[in-house]
Amino acid sequence: MTFSRPFRSLFILALSVSTFAIIANAQIKPGRDPNQPIDQEYTNKIREYTTAPYFNSPLTDYLPASTDIPTPKAVLGDVAGAPGKLPYAEDVYKYMRMLERASPRVKVFSIGTTEEGREMIAVAIGSEQLISKIEENRARLTKLADPRTINMDEAAADALVNASFPVYYITGTIHSTETGSPTALMELAYRLVVDNSPYVKSIRDSVLTLITPVVEVDGRNRMVDVYNWHLAHPNQNWPGLIYWGHYVAHDNNRDAIGLSLKLTRNVMNTYLSWKPQVLHDLHESVPYLYDNTIGDGPYNAWVDPILTDEWQMIGWNNVSEMTKFGMPGVFAHGNFDTWSPGYLMFIAATHNGISRLYETFGNAGADTVERTLSPGEYQRTWYRQNPPLPKAKWSQRNNNNYQQTALLTSLYYFGNNSKLFLKNFYLKSKRSIDKPKQEGPAAYVLPGDDPRPGNQAELLRTLQAQGVELSKATAPFTVSLRKKASSGAPARSSSSPSASPTPAPKTEDRTFPAGSYIVRMDQPYSRIADALLDYQYWAPNDPQTDIYDDTAWTMGELGNVEVVRVVDAKVLTAPMDRVTGEVRSPGGIANAGAVYVINHNADNALVTLRYRLKDVEMEAAEERFEAAGRKFNRGSFIVRKANVEDLRRVANELGIQVYAVADAPSVKTHPLRAPRIAMMHTWLSTQDEGWYRIGLDQLQVPFAYISTQDVSREPNLKSKYDVILFAPVGRGAQAIINGLPMYSNPLPWKKTQLTPNLGAIDETDDMRPGLGWNGLQNLQKFVKDGGLFITVDDTSDFAVNYGFTAGVSVNRSQRLRAVGAILRTKSVDAASPIAYGYGDSLAMYCMNGPIFNINNGVGGRGGRPAPRATGRGTPDDPDVPQGRTPAEIPEPPPRVEPWEAPPVMDEQLRNAVGLIPPNQRPRVVLRYADSRDLFVSGLLDGGDEIAQRAAIIDVPSGNGHVLLFSTNPFWRGQTKGSYFLVFNAILNWDNLNAGRKLAEK
Ligand SMILES: [Zn+2]
């Protein structure tokens, strides 16, 4: 558009700088600057490796030339996305640092290390101007991120917005089998530095792009090893990537709740310090580009609606621009529901930024191959009008083209609208602070008298790592609370939670003691605290039936720590101080005396104490007792002889309160030992057991790490181990025995010159063999010899079905849907050492766990007695045969609960071949709650199928025990409240019969 001179200057004056930029940039055509020479050789290779012209775009079908900036070829020896080229993380970093040396537009930051000590980096790219102002811009973004610092002043915010440029943070290859993003990000970095086309220049001048090219560094290097092995053995099958990171595989993208992994902590810290407006995570499991930022419902219920609008804006722009480029298969809806906050990108969603995620199409390596899609992938749907092709030759270069093109269109759009998104960033932060005045709640309170101060501190430290501010009450305070329904959970008439409106809640006052922790909701990061501490409700009739992940994560319940949601704004006026430094529970030795007692409260630090002082003799009290003027729970530790300074130091460090007394309490005890533990893994999957290893490592519980193959070779397991822990595998019982099919070549997993990153965790010459029948026999002998075998979920199914557990059988569920839900369990036998330190009820994570039946005979199925037969009278009447005097009806057998075995009848005793002796019968420790109390959080449907069934069973066998879990006590670093069920079993492994009442017959 053209104006006469005076009119134009007036017009420009009337526009803000940003509006002008939008008008100016709207005329920019994507594509190369004809005046800038291209790197012809590199460009030729791009075209050669792209399998069809429509798999590329005007943004990436050339590479601009530079005389002084090296291209990715300098490190790769070929172009990004070239067949056969998969760089290690170190090579990617080497290239990024070459760029940094060659250009003032690049700065590389080290952001931490992985579990195995490998570096993680973030690469900042922008114009010289932007790079030189990183720190002053950071100071402005920090103010926008915390509007309290400018007194929520709109004019001040606008001035900051006008002066600032946004930060767009891109993270690559968190999923190690999704291999394309490192080379795509190397080339993207080069383009952002070198390309003088108006399109890329506009990005460079308006957005600071921050790139972590490899998120899962340990897993990346292992994946490159496997790929190189494949290249060296062209006609063979290659080993699957059994280990990604040191602990977990795909679940590394489910850690933004518990923050157990270093990669999550490093990205979180980078996010908190850079204050980016976007965190954009790259994945490669859907053809050809699923911008699943928008995804599908239900959306997370705690994020700001401004954010979900932003998802739509950026996502649809993305699809629209790439559609115009003629690239097939770009879409923005799909089967990803946006409910769980556990994904890495959700760090932004829950901290006032914008979360984004791409799924592009990768070949899990750098081979160019013909890919045939399934109808579900290539059919046209309402949201995918230009679907992927049913069949296409696909290359890593194609993938790199899609990744870069999509990122460039997003960066361009973001840069064009940078003021809008910066203002939104401010508004979302402000609305987070306004939470108590708007939707509420006002705060969450963690009472100062929680019986588990150690686990409470652990939960609070996780919130601190999320950037949440905490306060601590300096005096008691009283607030009004919504009155709870009886029995801790809302009463329900059916097994499934109902959505019927409840009458207006009544309120009651509650006084919290001084020392209570207050998580105020008038802070910028209130949303993450609210999301993590609140309860989740997923309606059984939700139209989303393809549930993507866990439906519940309520941290207080899973941590076995009380968390009170307070709507009453009076809580914000309670006398309190901001907490500085990490929350620690108080520890030390109180009083004086030669004997030391420690209350068993199921705080996880107790197991650390036991192993730290492993040579000190300790005992467990089998009954409650009083000492030092206090009440002690069953299982409390009694130490008759210890070096007091050692004990004091460890108790201080671990936050454990020890009481010294003159004499040991007169209570029955047994030795509390620190036994030898083995974690047994398969070569099928190590995903879920990784969460066990990280839990044990964090609490410094030593263990040997053995595979099913080791067990198959060791007939005398008991000589080496006291406890074998077999975490869920997720492959079924037969696969545990059989392993992988033996048809083709051996699949080695070991450190060699070709594969230097394999084998450090465990190794084998051939991943295929499973436990086998020898291994099964060895395991059964281990138990008979006195060992403890702990199984969970599908490994419990394995133990039941392969004859470890006389008297227990498993039902197949028909209707149950407990999808990553939290369910209530109830204590059945509080005298069992496994229950030490726990109360009457415990919320536990459940993923459609096995439904157990209990019987006193081998092969019995348990269950309820048959109802009366057809005949005369009402259901309660006896039937009466006609034509004779009525027979005397024997006393009916006593009522049997679903978690109990039917009583032994005299008829069974006549020739009691299958009758299990009373001391070898299954002992139920916890059961699922009654239907009406079962639901705690998430999705529960058809719950009556599992209600009241045994949840945790201690099954004696020979001299040993098998412990069966239907729930999962170690899950994603979130279930810290149930860890101690396993630790109790471990510490009391040779005295699990303590407190047991035996049946008479
Ligand atoms: Zn992925």
Side-chain angles (χ1 to χ4, degrees):
M1 82 181 81
T2 55
F3 301 103
S4 69
R5 185 165 295 251
F7 188 85
R8 184 168 64 181
S9 49
L10 266 177
F11 183 72
I12 292 170
L13 270 180
L15 292 169
S16 74
V17 175
S18 61
T19 334
F20 180 71
I22 290 172
I23 290 171
N25 285 347
Q27 295 157 359
I28 290 176
K29 196 164 166 259
R32 66 168 286 221
D33 169 13
N35 297 318
Q36 184 177 27
I38 59 170
D39 184 329
Q40 194 60 56
E41 197 192 334
Y42 197 107
T43 301
N44 289 346
K45 286 288 180 189
I46 292 176
R47 290 176 186 164
E48 182 189 333
Y49 299 149
T50 300
T51 60
Y54 44 77
F55 292 143
N56 211 339
S57 77
L59 294 173
T60 51
D61 66 358
Y62 70 98
L63 196 81
S66 168
T67 49
D68 45 3
I69 313 288
T71 71
K73 200 177 162 196
V75 164
L76 299 173
D78 204 334
V79 309
K85 297 283 178 188
L86 221 53
Y88 287 110
E90 292 79 3
D91 296 328
V92 180
Y93 299 173
K94 187 174 156 198
Y95 177 66
M96 295 300 193
R97 289 190 160 117
M98 286 167 81
L99 281 184
E100 182 185 36
R101 276 195 299 277
S103 169
R105 295 173 176 173
V106 180
K107 255 180 127 59
V108 177
F109 298 83
S110 200
I111 61 167
T113 54
T114 67
E115 279 77 6
E116 296 179 1
R118 296 183 180 91
E119 187 188 19
M120 286 178 72
I121 64 167
V123 185
I125 306 166
S127 66
E128 294 86 330
Q129 165 93 348
L130 262 50
I131 292 288
S132 69
K133 291 188 169 150
I134 284 178
E135 289 312 319
E136 62 170 273
N137 193 63
R138 189 201 307 271
R140 285 189 295 265
L141 296 181
T142 302
K143 285 183 185 164
L144 289 173
D146 187 354
R148 295 172 303 183
T149 57
I150 53 168
N151 296 318
M152 322 279 265
D153 182 287
E154 227 38 45
D158 288 341
L160 286 166
V161 164
N162 276 330
S164 301
F165 52 87
V167 178
Y168 194 110
Y169 187 15
I170 303 165
T171 48
T173 196
I174 185 172
H175 282 164
S176 305
T177 53
E178 302 165 13
T179 51
S181 45
T183 50
L185 292 171
M186 288 163 76
E187 194 177 286
L188 180 76
Y190 176 86
R191 290 178 190 282
L192 290 174
V193 172
V194 170
D195 196 328
N196 284 332
S197 70
Y199 195 89
V200 175
K201 191 171 176 305
S202 137
I203 296 171
R204 184 163 63 233
D205 291 342
S206 59
V207 185
L208 189 83
T209 306
L210 192 64
I211 298 173
T212 292
V214 183
V215 171
E216 175 59 272
V217 187
D218 299 335
R220 170 66 180 188
N221 284 6
R222 281 192 256 282
M223 182 65 202
V224 175
D225 279 1
V226 167
Y227 182 67
N228 290 342
W229 189 93
H230 153 66
L231 291 180
H233 301 82
N235 297 317
Q236 298 191 21
N237 292 325
W238 59 90
L241 196 67
I242 183 83
Y243 295 97
W244 298 19
H246 188 75
Y247 291 111
V248 296
H250 192 266
D251 263 12
N252 60 8
N253 195 31
R254 302 293 184 274
D255 187 43
I257 296 170
L259 308 183
S260 303
L261 305 174
K262 288 202 167 189
L263 65 87
T264 322
R265 295 254 172 173
N266 292 339
V267 171
M268 172 68 78
N269 291 338
T270 305
Y271 182 89
L272 294 177
S273 97
W274 282 81
K275 306 284 188 291
Q277 282 58 59
V278 181
L279 176 54
H280 189 154
D281 198 28
L282 301 180
H283 292 253
E284 302 167 30
S285 67
V286 181
Y288 296 129
L289 184 118
Y290 170 26
D291 179 349
N292 85 353
T293 306
I294 305 179
D296 200 354
Y299 279 4
N300 180 279
W302 294 265
V303 297
D304 193 316
I306 292 177
L307 167 66
T308 59
D309 295 341
E310 290 173 322
W311 287 342
Q312 313 281 345
M313 291 165 69
I314 310 178
W316 280 117
N317 174 266
N318 215 152
V319 174
S320 156
E321 290 303 307
M322 292 179 73
T323 301
K324 282 188 265 181
F325 290 146
M327 301 175 89
V330 179
F331 58 101
H333 285 291
N335 69 341
F336 174 72
D337 69 61
T338 309
W339 177 246
S340 163
Y343 313 103
L344 186 80
M345 58 152 177
F346 238 71
I347 288 173
T350 52
H351 293 78
N352 306 322
I354 301 170
S355 55
R356 300 201 69 213
L357 195 151
Y358 285 160
E359 294 281 6
T360 56
F361 197 38
N363 288 345
D367 291 1
T368 300
V369 286
E370 181 99 359
R371 297 292 301 269
T372 305
L373 306 185
S374 65
E377 289 173 314
Y378 65 71
Q379 281 166 5
R380 194 178 57 82
T381 66
W382 66 267
Y383 58 80
R384 196 169 54 200
Q385 290 294 328
N386 181 4
L389 307 178
K391 208 168 168 184
K393 196 173 181 193
W394 191 256
S395 66
Q396 165 129 303
R397 181 65 220 185
N398 293 3
N399 183 25
N400 279 195
N401 293 339
Y402 270 76
Q403 290 177 310
Q404 289 187 70
T405 299
L407 286 168
L408 285 166
T409 57
S410 287
L411 287 167
Y412 178 75
Y413 179 76
F414 203 77
N416 267 350
N417 296 284
S418 65
K419 304 303 168 188
L420 167 77
F421 289 115
L422 282 167
K423 187 63 190 283
N424 279 0
F425 179 63
Y426 166 76
L427 285 175
K428 286 180 287 182
S429 305
K430 180 170 173 283
R431 283 153 62 106
S432 295
I433 295 166
D434 281 340
K435 206 174 212 311
K437 284 188 267 176
Q438 301 287 338
E439 70 271 25
Y444 286 87
V445 177
L446 287 82
D449 53 2
D450 194 291
R452 278 168 270 281
N455 283 3
Q456 183 190 64
E458 169 76 30
L459 189 160
L460 290 167
R461 284 197 296 276
T462 306
L463 290 179
Q464 288 181 306
Q466 293 273 6
V468 174
E469 295 167 3
L470 305 175
S471 304
K472 195 172 184 182
T474 52
F477 62 96
T478 302
V479 293
S480 160
L481 295 178
R482 190 181 143 157
K483 207 168 192 168
K484 268 194 185 165
S486 58
S487 74
R492 296 175 199 286
S493 53
S494 76
S495 61
S496 303
S498 83
S500 59
T502 42
K506 296 193 178 94
T507 60
E508 61 190 346
D509 279 357
R510 177 161 171 187
T511 300
F512 292 97
S516 295
Y517 286 94
I518 300 165
V519 188
R520 301 177 65 106
M521 290 291 108
D522 55 353
Q523 60 168 304
Y525 296 148
S526 62
R527 286 190 196 286
I528 182 63
D530 193 22
L532 297 184
L533 299 176
D534 206 351
Y535 287 76
Q536 288 77 47
Y537 180 78
W538 184 301
N541 65 349
D542 191 282
Q544 178 65 268
T545 52
D546 197 1
I547 300 168
Y548 203 81
D549 209 79
D550 285 344
T551 58
W553 51 83
T554 311
M555 282 184 83
E557 291 286 359
L558 290 177
N560 199 16
V561 168
E562 189 183 12
V563 175
V564 183
R565 186 176 191 266
V566 182
V567 175
D568 183 359
K570 213 171 91 190
V571 66
L572 300 174
T573 64
M576 65 180 93
D577 288 336
R578 265 285 292 280
V579 174
T580 54
E582 280 201 329
V583 175
R584 294 272 156 202
S585 54
I589 301 180
N591 308 336
V595 176
Y596 306 98
V597 288
I598 304 166
N599 186 35
H600 194 330
N601 59 0
D603 260 350
N604 290 326
L606 292 174
V607 76
T608 313
L609 173 105
R610 184 66 199 94
Y611 275 92
R612 277 277 199 88
L613 302 173
K614 68 177 170 36
D615 297 327
V616 175
E617 283 185 15
M618 300 188 188
E619 292 159 48
E622 293 188 3
E623 290 300 331
R624 297 184 185 88
F625 63 92
E626 287 190 27
R630 313 180 68 89
K631 288 188 163 72
F632 288 80
N633 293 328
R634 273 199 197 92
S636 290
F637 295 14
I638 298 172
V639 185
R640 291 176 204 267
K641 193 162 166 263
N643 177 319
V644 65
E645 285 319 312
D646 285 353
L647 184 59
R648 191 189 313 279
R649 185 173 41 79
V650 173
N652 258 317
E653 200 182 310
L654 301 177
I656 292 170
Q657 190 58 62
V658 178
Y659 294 91
V661 290
D663 303 298
S666 55
V667 60
K668 188 170 183 227
T669 66
H670 62 251
L672 187 74
R673 301 191 219 274
R676 301 164 301 171
I677 304 167
M679 276 277 314
M680 179 173 74
H681 73 90
T682 65
W683 289 100
L684 301 165
S685 163
T686 59
Q687 165 69 35
D688 291 355
E689 59 96 15
W691 292 117
Y692 283 72
R693 279 188 286 131
I694 198 169
L696 295 177
D697 280 350
Q698 282 172 346
L699 291 159
Q700 302 163 46
V701 178
F703 61 92
Y705 189 53
I706 61 175
S707 76
T708 45
Q709 293 178 359
D710 297 325
V711 168
S712 73
R713 289 187 291 261
E714 177 53 71
N716 194 2
L717 290 162
K718 186 63 191 68
S719 69
K720 293 183 165 172
Y721 315 113
D722 304 310
V723 180
I724 294 178
L725 182 48
F726 193 21
V729 176
R731 294 289 188 278
Q734 286 181 19
I736 292 168
I737 300 283
N738 291 340
L740 291 163
M742 296 294 287
Y743 304 127
S744 64
N745 52 284
L747 303 171
W749 184 273
K750 60 194 302 185
K751 185 172 176 152
T752 64
Q753 215 162 11
L754 180 64
T755 57
N757 300 290
L758 305 188
I761 307 171
D762 197 1
E763 63 176 42
T764 178
D765 289 327
D766 187 1
M767 288 166 58
R768 295 174 303 163
L771 181 67
W773 300 110
N774 281 345
L776 183 69
Q777 249 180 350
N778 293 342
L779 265 182
Q780 287 180 338
K781 180 168 179 294
F782 166 77
V783 175
K784 301 279 182 223
D785 288 350
L788 167 64
F789 184 42
I790 302 177
T791 61
V792 177
D793 199 333
D794 70 325
T795 61
S796 291
D797 208 50
F798 160 81
V800 169
N801 284 302
Y802 284 99
F804 285 79
T805 57
V808 182
S809 57
V810 171
N811 277 2
R812 299 281 151 234
S813 78
Q814 306 294 322
R815 305 175 307 280
L816 176 69
R817 286 196 303 155
V819 183
I822 306 175
L823 304 185
R824 192 164 304 286
T825 63
K826 304 290 282 181
S827 171
V828 173
D829 192 339
S832 162
I834 294 155
Y836 285 168
Y838 284 95
D840 173 54
S841 138
L842 178 69
M844 289 190 77
Y845 175 87
C846 177
M847 185 66 158
N848 271 4
I851 299 168
F852 293 130
N853 289 311
I854 312 292
N855 202 283
N856 290 327
V858 172
R861 296 295 301 177
R864 297 174 172 85
R868 69 154 288 193
T870 305
R872 67 149 292 279
T874 72
D876 299 326
D877 285 331
D879 191 20
V880 178
Q882 303 299 302
R884 68 175 214 209
T885 49
E888 190 191 333
I889 294 177
E891 191 66 19
R895 181 184 149 78
V896 179
E897 301 289 359
W899 64 88
E900 292 175 334
V904 176
M905 308 305 290
D906 287 341
E907 289 287 315
Q908 283 174 281
L909 294 171
R910 288 177 55 215
N911 183 17
V913 175
L915 188 70
I916 305 168
N919 68 354
Q920 297 278 302
R921 288 179 193 163
R923 181 184 189 187
V924 176
V925 182
L926 293 180
R927 66 170 175 90
Y928 287 103
D930 300 355
S931 283
R932 64 191 291 273
D933 296 329
L934 185 60
F935 175 78
V936 176
S937 199
L939 166 65
L940 175 64
D941 192 18
D944 50 354
E945 234 182 344
I946 205 166
Q948 299 185 309
R949 297 289 180 153
I952 298 169
I953 314 170
D954 166 18
V955 190
S957 176
N959 293 318
H961 290 254
V962 179
L963 184 60
L964 304 170
F965 281 86
S966 167
T967 48
N968 188 347
F970 276 70
W971 182 245
R972 294 179 174 172
Q974 297 172 26
T975 57
K976 297 198 166 92
S978 51
Y979 283 7
F980 226 102
L981 294 166
V982 173
F983 297 147
N984 273 334
I986 289 172
L987 298 181
N988 298 280
W989 69 282
D990 55 348
N991 281 283
L992 289 175
N993 289 331
R996 176 155 202 185
K997 286 195 186 66
L998 296 180
E1000 282 168 23
K1001 57 183 182 186

